[in-house]
Amino acid sequence: MSKKRTESNLKPQYFQILLALADRELHGLGIMKEVLRQTDEQMRLWPTMLYGSLKRLSVDGLIEERQGPDVPGLEEDRRRFYGLTQDGRLRLAAEARRLDSYVRMARTKQVIAAERQSP
Amino acid sequence: MKQGSAQRLSRAVLRLAPRHLQRSHGTEMEWMLAESLQTEPGRLGSLRVFCAALRDALSCRLAEGLEFRRRIPKRPLRGMIMNNLIQDIRYGSRTLLKSPGFTLVALLTLALGIGANTALFSLVNGVLLRPLPFEEPQDLVQIWESVPEMNFDRIPFSPPDYRDLVEMQQSFSAVAAYTSRQVELSQRGQPERALVTRVSASLFPLLGAETALGRSFSESEDQPGNPVAVLSDKLWQQRYGADPDILGKTVSMDRQPYTVIGVMTEGFEFPLAGPHPLLQPADLWIPLAFTPMELGRRGYLYNHLVVARLKPGVTLEQARAAAQLVGQQIQEQYPAHLNDFLRGGKLQMLVAPFHTEVVGPVRAPLFILLGAVGLVLLIGCANIANLLLSRANARRREIAIRNAMGAGRLRIFIQLFSESLMLALCGGLLGLAVAAVVIPLLLSLSPADLPRSSEIGIDGWVLAFT
């Protein structure tokens, strides 16, 4: 069943979490803040949803727990960091391409304006 | 919001999250919620955070629950229950057989307790609870004469008093009298003693009793000089070999020939056994047929029991009040010497339900006995409960393993319950067998005046009681 889920569309919160972990390892609160930032504060992951999603993605082999930097005075729980696995990276890329194809289609049909060319 | 109360509230909210998340990420979730609270200042901000966290926890829990249900392979419920039941029964019988000592002791205790109770209850059922074997028995009453001032509490009727009662009363649709005596039956086969009951012609129609052969007495036969008899089924079978041509033949009672005009149906008994040597089911019946001498002598032969049927719509109380008047009227006809004898005592009529009259004397002793054996069963049950409890204690390991393997509380409960149920069912069956042995034994030991003893046996009610 879990395999089937990874092959189908990713839920938006899973996609955002994977995206947050694309360039670095983060702990729970870091992921929450990063998702908030990358969605222009449109998506806020509350604790149960966030940790539920992290657990599900770990079980599906898309992310994994990593030992975070050893900061003196920081509780052990706070050092639980997460990073993308190889599968996770592939899955994220596939999902991004899928979404990108939809966006391009929307542009072709002039649903949204064409992408501005950077100078 | 104060930090302590905020922390408590956070914990309360997060307790609603799925358990596995609380276990693996509880501290982090709490920490994250605290951070969120800091970013939303003010009470309103805190409220917003808590509401959002609450919605988050509840919706996740709900979603996981739905997901979990989706993942369980669906089996037809009825099949599952049947499978579980069969499994439980097989497992239960194996465990019970594995500890034969316990099973034997428990079954014996149950069998004896239930057996004694069933036997006693079948007695109570047959004697007290079942309606009398007559037509509309609730309308039947027994009438006694009584002179309380002379301590004559309940005396049977004399012939003239009975005749007057029949003529004067208006609350009964029928009144009948009967009196029994021992006679010698001879002529065919060995002479033997038999109980004959002289009955008024109105008795059999009043009881709704029917003959299997021939007929009962007519009014004209209820006069002196009509030597006719009706046989009980028992006498007909035993002494006359169920002779189908018995009608019209003569039987000899105290060397006097009587012509047989009828045979009662099987199982018909009258009078019903009671606390008097002559209150025993009769072997045969002859007409009461009072002689002019019997009817002419007031104050003699107070040995005729009277049974009557209430008119439709007449209550027992109304019949009692009317009977008092009849008593007064009868006494007015008493000769002076009889009233002198009564020393101013008033002749009264006692009207009592026939059922109470028949079973009254044995009612209390039977219920006391039933209560006593009920207590014995209770003690037996307490003993078995103790045994089961100590066994359950010894099986804690097994139950823990089953629990760890995924058996829910309900499943374990049903398993243990089905074991107890099997014990109870087997105990009940054995108890029934014990009762079947004990009932004839009880009947052979019971006094002859136990009323309706022939009606005692195991029937649907007794089975239900067991």
Coordinates of all heavy atoms in Angstrom, one line a residue, chain A residues 1 5 27 29 32-33 44-52 55-56 65 75 77-78 80 82, chain B residues 17-18 20-21 24-25 27-29 31-33 35-36 39-40 49 52 56-57 60 67 71:
Chain A
M1 N 0.8 -1.2 0.0 CA 0.0 0.0 0.0 C 0.9 1.3 0.0 O 0.6 2.2 -0.7 CB -0.9 0.0 1.2 CG -2.0 1.0 1.1 SD -3.5 0.1 1.5 CE -4.7 1.2 1.0
R5 N 1.3 4.5 -2.6 CA 1.2 5.9 -2.3 C 2.3 6.7 -2.9 O 2.1 7.8 -3.4 CB 1.2 6.0 -0.7 CG 1.2 7.4 -0.3 CD 1.6 7.5 1.1 NE 0.7 6.8 2.0 CZ -0.4 7.3 2.5 NH1 -0.7 8.5 2.2 NH2 -1.2 6.6 3.3
H27 N 15.4 20.1 11.7 CA 14.6 19.4 12.7 C 13.2 19.8 12.5 O 12.8 20.7 11.6 CB 15.1 19.7 14.1 CG 15.3 21.1 14.4 ND1 14.3 22.1 14.3 CD2 16.4 21.8 14.8 CE1 14.8 23.2 14.6 NE2 16.1 23.1 14.9
L29 N 10.9 21.8 14.0 CA 10.5 23.2 14.0 C 11.0 23.9 12.8 O 10.4 24.7 12.2 CB 11.0 23.9 15.3 CG 10.5 25.3 15.5 CD1 9.0 25.3 15.7 CD2 11.2 25.9 16.7
M32 N 8.9 23.2 9.9 CA 7.7 24.0 10.0 C 7.9 25.4 9.5 O 7.2 25.9 8.6 CB 7.2 24.0 11.4 CG 5.8 24.5 11.6 SD 5.9 26.3 12.0 CE 5.8 26.2 13.8
K33 N 9.0 26.0 9.9 CA 9.3 27.4 9.5 C 9.7 27.5 8.1 O 9.2 28.4 7.4 CB 10.5 27.9 10.4 CG 10.1 28.2 11.8 CD 11.3 28.7 12.6 CE 10.8 29.2 14.0 NZ 11.9 29.3 14.9
R44 N 0.7 26.2 7.1 CA 1.3 26.1 8.4 C 1.1 24.6 8.9 O 0.0 24.2 9.0 CB 0.7 27.1 9.4 CG 1.3 26.9 10.8 CD 1.0 28.1 11.6 NE 1.8 28.0 12.8 CZ 2.2 29.0 13.5 NH1 1.8 30.3 13.1 NH2 2.9 28.9 14.6
L45 N 2.2 23.9 9.2 CA 2.0 22.6 9.7 C 2.0 22.6 11.2 O 3.0 23.0 11.8 CB 3.2 21.7 9.2 CG 3.2 21.5 7.6 CD1 4.5 20.8 7.2 CD2 2.0 20.8 7.2
W46 N 0.9 22.1 11.8 CA 0.8 22.0 13.2 C 1.4 20.7 13.7 O 1.6 19.8 12.9 CB -0.7 22.2 13.6 CG -1.2 23.5 13.4 CD1 -1.9 24.0 12.3 CD2 -1.0 24.7 14.2 NE1 -2.1 25.3 12.3 CE2 -1.6 25.8 13.5 CE3 -0.4 25.0 15.4 CZ2 -1.6 27.1 14.0 CZ3 -0.4 26.2 15.9 CH2 -1.0 27.3 15.2
P47 N 1.7 20.6 15.0 CA 2.6 19.5 15.4 C 2.1 18.1 15.0 O 2.9 17.3 14.5 CB 2.6 19.6 16.9 CG 2.2 21.0 17.2 CD 1.4 21.5 16.1
T48 N 0.8 17.8 15.2 CA 0.4 16.5 14.9 C 0.5 16.1 13.4 O 1.0 15.1 13.0 CB -1.1 16.3 15.3 OG1 -1.2 16.8 16.6 CG2 -1.4 14.8 15.4
M49 N 0.1 17.1 12.6 CA 0.2 16.9 11.2 C 1.7 16.8 10.7 O 2.0 15.9 10.0 CB -0.4 18.1 10.5 CG -0.2 18.2 9.0 SD -1.2 16.9 8.1 CE -2.7 17.9 7.9
L50 N 2.5 17.6 11.3 CA 3.9 17.6 10.9 C 4.6 16.3 11.3 O 5.2 15.6 10.4 CB 4.7 18.8 11.6 CG 6.2 18.8 11.3 CD1 6.5 19.1 9.9 CD2 6.9 19.8 12.2
Y51 N 4.5 15.9 12.5 CA 5.2 14.7 13.0 C 4.5 13.4 12.4 O 5.2 12.4 12.1 CB 5.3 14.7 14.5 CG 6.4 15.6 14.9 CD1 6.0 16.9 15.5 CD2 7.7 15.3 14.7 CE1 7.0 17.8 15.8 CE2 8.7 16.3 15.1 CZ 8.3 17.5 15.6 OH 9.3 18.4 16.0
G52 N 3.2 13.5 12.2 CA 2.5 12.4 11.5 C 3.1 12.2 10.1 O 3.4 11.1 9.7
K55 N 6.7 10.9 10.1 CA 6.7 9.5 10.4 C 6.3 8.7 9.1 O 6.9 7.7 8.8 CB 5.7 9.2 11.5 CG 6.1 7.9 12.3 CD 5.4 7.8 13.6 CE 5.9 6.6 14.4 NZ 5.2 6.4 15.6
R56 N 5.2 9.1 8.5 CA 4.8 8.4 7.3 C 5.9 8.4 6.2 O 6.2 7.4 5.6 CB 3.5 9.1 6.8 CG 3.0 8.9 5.4 CD 2.8 7.4 5.0 NE 1.9 6.7 6.0 CZ 1.9 5.4 6.2 NH1 2.7 4.7 5.4 NH2 1.1 4.9 7.0
E65 N 15.9 9.9 9.5 CA 16.4 10.7 10.7 C 17.9 10.7 10.6 O 18.6 9.8 10.3 CB 16.0 10.0 12.0 CG 14.6 10.4 12.4 CD 14.3 9.8 13.8 OE1 15.2 9.7 14.6 OE2 13.1 9.5 14.0
E75 N 18.4 19.9 24.1 CA 17.9 18.6 24.5 C 18.0 17.6 23.3 O 18.1 18.0 22.2 CB 16.4 18.7 24.9 CG 16.2 19.5 26.1 CD 14.7 20.0 26.2 OE1 13.8 19.3 25.7 OE2 14.5 21.1 26.6
D77 N 15.9 15.5 22.1 CA 14.8 15.5 21.1 C 15.0 16.6 20.1 O 14.6 16.4 18.9 CB 13.5 15.8 21.9 CG 13.0 14.5 22.5 OD1 13.4 13.4 22.1 OD2 12.2 14.6 23.5
R78 N 15.6 17.7 20.5 CA 15.7 18.8 19.6 C 16.8 18.5 18.5 O 17.0 19.3 17.6 CB 16.1 20.1 20.3 CG 15.0 20.4 21.3 CD 15.1 21.8 21.8 NE 14.1 22.2 22.8 CZ 13.9 23.4 23.2 NH1 14.5 24.4 22.6 NH2 13.0 23.6 24.1
R80 N 16.9 15.8 16.8 CA 16.4 14.9 15.8 C 16.2 15.6 14.5 O 15.3 16.3 14.3 CB 15.2 14.2 16.3 CG 15.0 12.9 15.6 CD 14.1 11.9 16.3 NE 13.3 12.2 17.4 CZ 12.4 11.4 17.9 NH1 12.3 10.2 17.4 NH2 11.6 11.7 18.9
Y82 N 16.1 15.7 10.1 CA 15.6 14.8 9.1 C 16.3 15.2 7.8 O 16.6 16.4 7.5 CB 14.1 14.9 8.9 CG 13.4 14.5 10.1 CD1 13.1 15.4 11.2 CD2 12.9 13.2 10.2 CE1 12.4 14.9 12.3 CE2 12.3 12.7 11.3 CZ 12.0 13.6 12.4 OH 11.4 13.2 13.5
Chain B
A17 N -3.8 13.6 20.2 CA -3.1 13.2 19.0 C -3.0 11.6 19.0 O -3.1 11.0 20.1 CB -1.7 13.8 18.9
P18 N -2.7 11.0 17.9 CA -2.6 9.5 17.9 C -1.5 9.1 18.9 O -0.4 9.8 19.0 CB -2.1 9.2 16.4 CG -2.7 10.3 15.6 CD -2.7 11.5 16.5
H20 N 0.7 6.7 19.0 CA 2.1 6.4 18.6 C 2.9 7.7 18.4 O 4.1 7.7 18.7 CB 2.1 5.5 17.3 CG 1.5 6.2 16.1 ND1 2.3 6.8 15.2 CD2 0.2 6.4 15.7 CE1 1.6 7.3 14.2 NE2 0.3 7.1 14.5
L21 N 2.2 8.7 18.0 CA 3.0 10.0 17.8 C 3.3 10.6 19.1 O 4.4 11.1 19.3 CB 2.1 11.0 17.0 CG 2.1 10.9 15.5 CD1 1.3 12.0 14.9 CD2 3.6 10.9 15.0
S24 N 6.4 8.7 20.3 CA 7.7 8.9 19.6 C 8.1 10.4 19.5 O 9.3 10.7 19.5 CB 7.6 8.3 18.2 OG 6.5 8.9 17.5
H25 N 7.1 11.3 19.5 CA 7.5 12.7 19.2 C 6.8 13.6 20.2 O 6.7 14.8 20.0 CB 7.1 13.1 17.8 CG 7.8 12.4 16.7 ND1 7.4 11.2 16.2 CD2 9.0 12.7 16.1 CE1 8.3 10.8 15.3 NE2 9.3 11.7 15.2
T27 N 7.6 15.0 23.1 CA 8.3 16.2 23.6 C 8.5 17.2 22.5 O 8.4 18.5 22.8 CB 9.7 15.8 24.1 OG1 9.6 14.5 24.7 CG2 10.3 16.8 25.1
E28 N 8.8 16.7 21.3 CA 9.1 17.7 20.2 C 7.8 18.4 19.9 O 7.8 19.6 19.6 CB 9.5 16.9 19.0 CG 11.0 16.5 19.1 CD 11.3 15.4 18.0 OE1 10.9 14.2 18.3 OE2 11.9 15.7 17.0
M29 N 6.6 17.7 19.9 CA 5.4 18.4 19.6 C 5.1 19.5 20.6 O 4.6 20.6 20.3 CB 4.3 17.3 19.5 CG 4.2 16.5 18.2 SD 3.5 14.9 18.4 CE 1.8 15.4 18.6
W31 N 7.2 21.1 22.4 CA 8.2 22.1 22.3 C 7.7 23.0 21.1 O 7.8 24.2 21.2 CB 9.5 21.4 22.0 CG 10.6 22.3 21.6 CD1 11.0 23.5 22.2 CD2 11.5 22.1 20.4 NE1 12.1 24.0 21.5 CE2 12.4 23.2 20.4 CE3 11.6 21.2 19.4 CZ2 13.3 23.3 19.4 CZ3 12.5 21.3 18.5 CH2 13.4 22.4 18.5
M32 N 7.3 22.4 20.0 CA 6.9 23.1 18.9 C 5.6 24.0 19.1 O 5.5 25.1 18.7 CB 6.5 22.1 17.8 CG 6.4 22.7 16.4 SD 6.2 21.4 15.2 CE 5.3 22.3 14.0
L33 N 4.7 23.4 19.9 CA 3.5 24.2 20.3 C 3.9 25.4 21.1 O 3.3 26.5 20.9 CB 2.5 23.3 21.0 CG 1.1 23.7 21.0 CD1 0.6 23.8 19.6 CD2 0.2 22.7 21.8
E35 N 6.7 27.0 21.0 CA 7.3 28.0 20.1 C 6.2 28.8 19.3 O 6.3 30.0 19.2 CB 8.2 27.3 19.0 CG 9.4 26.6 19.6 CD 10.6 27.6 19.6 OE1 10.6 28.6 18.8 OE2 11.5 27.3 20.3
S36 N 5.1 28.0 18.9 CA 4.0 28.7 18.2 C 3.3 29.7 19.1 O 2.9 30.7 18.6 CB 3.0 27.6 17.7 OG 3.7 26.7 16.9
T39 N 5.1 32.9 19.2 CA 5.0 33.7 18.0 C 3.7 34.4 17.9 O 3.5 35.3 17.1 CB 5.3 32.9 16.7 OG1 4.3 31.8 16.7 CG2 6.7 32.4 16.6
E40 N 2.7 33.9 18.6 CA 1.4 34.5 18.6 C 1.1 35.1 20.0 O 0.6 34.5 20.8 CB 0.3 33.4 18.3 CG 0.5 32.8 17.0 CD -0.4 33.4 15.9 OE1 -1.2 34.3 16.2 OE2 -0.2 33.0 14.7
V49 N -3.9 29.5 18.5 CA -2.9 28.4 18.4 C -3.5 27.1 18.9 O -3.5 26.0 18.3 CB -1.6 28.8 19.2 CG1 -0.7 27.5 19.3 CG2 -0.9 29.9 18.4
A52 N -6.2 25.7 16.6 CA -5.6 25.1 15.4 C -5.0 23.8 15.8 O -5.1 22.8 15.1 CB -4.6 26.0 14.8
D56 N -6.0 20.1 14.5 CA -4.9 19.3 13.8 C -4.9 17.9 14.5 O -4.9 16.9 13.8 CB -3.6 20.1 14.1 CG -2.4 19.3 13.7 OD1 -2.4 18.9 12.5 OD2 -1.5 19.1 14.5
A57 N -4.9 17.9 15.8 CA -4.8 16.6 16.5 C -6.0 15.7 16.2 O -5.8 14.5 15.9 CB -4.6 16.8 18.0
C60 N -6.1 14.5 12.5 CA -5.1 13.5 12.3 C -5.6 12.1 12.8 O -5.4 11.1 12.2 CB -3.8 13.8 12.9 SG -2.9 15.0 11.8
E67 N -8.0 5.4 8.0 CA -6.9 4.6 7.3 C -6.8 3.2 7.8 O -6.7 2.3 7.0 CB -5.6 5.4 7.4 CG -4.4 4.8 6.8 CD -4.3 5.1 5.3 OE1 -5.3 5.7 4.7 OE2 -3.3 4.7 4.7
R71 N -7.4 -0.5 6.0 CA -6.3 -1.5 5.8 C -6.7 -2.9 6.3 O -6.1 -3.9 5.9 CB -5.0 -1.1 6.6 CG -4.3 0.0 5.9 CD -3.2 0.5 6.6 NE -2.5 1.6 6.0 CZ -1.2 1.8 6.0 NH1 -0.5 1.1 6.7 NH2 -0.7 2.9 5.4

